[in-house]
Amino acid sequence: MFTDPDVTTVMPQVPGGAGLRNQYAYDKDRIGCLTDWSARYGDVFQYGSAIVVVNHPELVHQVLARTNREFSATVPMVEHQQTAAENLDAWMRGRRQGGRGIHPDLIEQCDQRLDQALAAAVTALPDKRLVLLAACERICGHAIIDICLGDEAPPFYERTAKASDDILAVSRTFDTPPWGAGRRYRRAVKAERDLTDRLAAVLGRLRAAPEPGSSLADVLLARPDRMPDPVVAAVLRISLIGGHGTPGTALAWCIREMSRRPDLLARLQAEARTAPPQAGEADLPYTAGFVKEMLRFYPPTWLLARDVATPVALGGHELRPGQRVLFSPYLLHHDERWWDAPAEIRPERWLGEEKPHAPHAYLPFGAGPRVCIGSLLGLKVLVRAVALLARDYELNMDEPANAAPQPDILLVPARAKVRFVPTSAGQDLRRS
């Protein structure tokens, strides 16, 4: 447990700091090292002189809630080559503008298009064994681009997928500052500018179209308050950048578990086959609970960081500018202090009216001023994708024996392959 915030205490430190021995152990087993160190040194400890690791939900909440004040997020410096303050202002302005568009009522207007886009994305996959993660990235990426851009989507996928990889890799690089990311950073800068220019051209064409379409871009442009094009572009840009790697990784974990658990898959199938067209979360409660549980058990964004911006006390310890605070949603999600039986995958835990965890102990999308504003769209895509696959497809999986999660920029499954085989029930439903 952490100490009273008004009491300054000596912070425990990992012996050897960030030396080669510890760095080798950490690179070999990142989750294992963080788990072991947290058990040995408590909920706040130091790793070298610059890294402070926090593993208590209340303290993590304080860090997230005070981001942009005492703490700062690593700003993806691909929008402007200006000062850090100007970068932060531009980034947050874009997030606030984007948040106006990624609203449940607006997203619901695209429900029919979402189902069609997901079905088309799965059908377009080659009829052979595919790398699981790559296939899931294509499903989510194609579907989200189609939802966002409609008929403008086809030319966007390949370039946007590469841009997403580069931009998110730069923005989530904790061990190397952005200016040290070298070639990938330069690619991210170029990709960001390219995406911005292409979106401006798309919005110009859509504004001039005689009849509105059914994409999110069309819905946003048709709003009665007439959102300016830069605001609409901010909504779409955030959705496109985040619509490839993170939801694709989450879907890969869902498919992996569905293929391993016939009992769980049978329940998902039964629910999906009795749900109405364009079913929402309320129509698919078990499926939604399953997705939330997989985001708990295998959070794609498994490690987050905030930089100390001003001298600040946290959990009874003094932090100084130049230090970085690391915290792991994975560790919080697997801590017996905050969850009942966290080592078990239980979708049922999400079906009750009360939250199944201690306050602030569930962070699949972050929290505070820098929470993922595309979480509503991402969650909807995942729920509907799982329902589609459970209803209409047999999932034939191959994966390495004793495969363990691979924690890098995202927490990804070990290299596995999958083949999506349409079921007879799924074929009958599509014909009807």
Side-chain angles (χ1 to χ4, degrees), residues 92-409:
M92 292 307 300
R93 185 168 60 251
R95 287 175 56 83
R96 288 192 296 270
Q97 292 169 343
R100 292 170 53 192
I102 306 180
H103 187 275
D105 293 341
L106 294 179
I107 295 174
E108 285 177 6
Q109 296 181 46
C110 305
D111 276 355
Q112 184 175 359
R113 182 164 207 113
L114 171 56
D115 284 343
Q116 295 171 346
L118 284 169
V122 179
T123 303
L125 293 173
D127 184 17
K128 62 180 183 180
R129 293 204 179 278
L130 306 167
V131 175
L132 174 63
L133 183 59
C136 291
E137 288 177 339
R138 291 191 72 85
I139 292 171
C140 293
H142 275 292
I144 288 176
I145 289 175
D146 187 272
I147 296 166
C148 289
L149 301 179
D151 294 339
E152 295 278 354
F156 263 71
Y157 178 74
E158 297 299 340
R159 289 164 72 181
T160 302
K162 293 177 181 177
S164 173
D165 288 342
D166 288 330
I167 292 169
L168 292 182
V170 170
S171 66
R172 290 173 176 170
T173 297
F174 303 131
D175 298 327
T176 306
W179 55 86
R183 183 177 300 174
R184 174 157 252 175
Y185 173 68
R186 292 190 292 274
R187 288 204 309 263
V189 172
K190 183 178 179 180
E192 178 83 6
R193 292 171 178 165
D194 175 64
L195 181 56
T196 300
D197 291 343
R198 286 187 293 141
L199 284 175
V202 166
L203 294 178
R205 290 193 292 272
L206 293 179
R207 286 276 192 204
E211 294 291 335
S214 59
S215 70
L216 182 59
D218 292 305
V219 171
L220 292 171
L221 290 174
R223 281 174 59 120
D225 58 352
R226 188 176 172 87
M227 295 173 67
D229 283 7
V231 177
V232 177
V235 177
L236 298 174
R237 197 165 116 310
I238 290 169
S239 300
L240 294 176
I241 291 173
H244 172 68
T246 303
T249 300
L251 182 59
W253 285 118
C254 290
I255 290 174
R256 181 175 181 264
E257 192 64 19
M258 291 161 68
S259 71
R260 289 180 161 199
R261 294 271 302 274
D263 58 326
L264 184 149
L265 179 58
R267 189 162 177 180
L268 291 171
Q269 288 172 333
E271 184 173 78
R273 289 171 180 171
T274 58
Q278 287 87 60
E281 188 173 329
D283 303 304
L284 298 164
Y286 186 80
T287 307
F290 170 65
V291 170
K292 292 175 182 176
E293 181 70 347
M294 295 309 295
L295 289 170
R296 177 193 73 82
F297 204 85
Y298 296 116
T301 304
W302 72 281
L303 186 66
L304 292 167
R306 294 292 184 266
D307 293 328
V308 181
T310 63
V312 62
L314 183 71
H317 304 288
E318 292 290 342
L319 306 186
R320 64 182 185 278
Q323 289 184 308
R324 175 164 290 177
V325 177
L326 294 185
F327 47 95
S328 172
Y330 184 95
L331 265 63
L332 292 179
H333 293 180
H334 288 77
D335 196 319
E336 293 181 347
R337 294 175 294 174
W338 325 125
W339 299 82
D340 178 34
E344 300 177 16
I345 294 177
R346 293 182 180 177
E348 299 83 4
R349 75 173 80 235
W350 298 96
L351 301 183
E353 294 184 1
E354 296 184 0
K355 292 182 178 180
H357 55 83
H360 314 307
Y362 185 58
L363 296 171
F365 303 108
R370 296 299 294 268
V371 67
C372 174
I373 65 173
S375 59
L376 291 174
L377 178 59
L379 186 61
K380 180 181 282 285
V381 168
L382 288 171
V383 170
R384 302 283 271 277
V386 167
L388 167 72
L389 294 172
R391 184 190 66 198
D392 291 356
Y393 287 88
E394 179 182 324
L395 307 171
N396 293 339
M397 278 272 299
D398 288 330
E399 65 176 328
N402 302 318
Q406 306 295 309
D408 193 9
I409 296 170

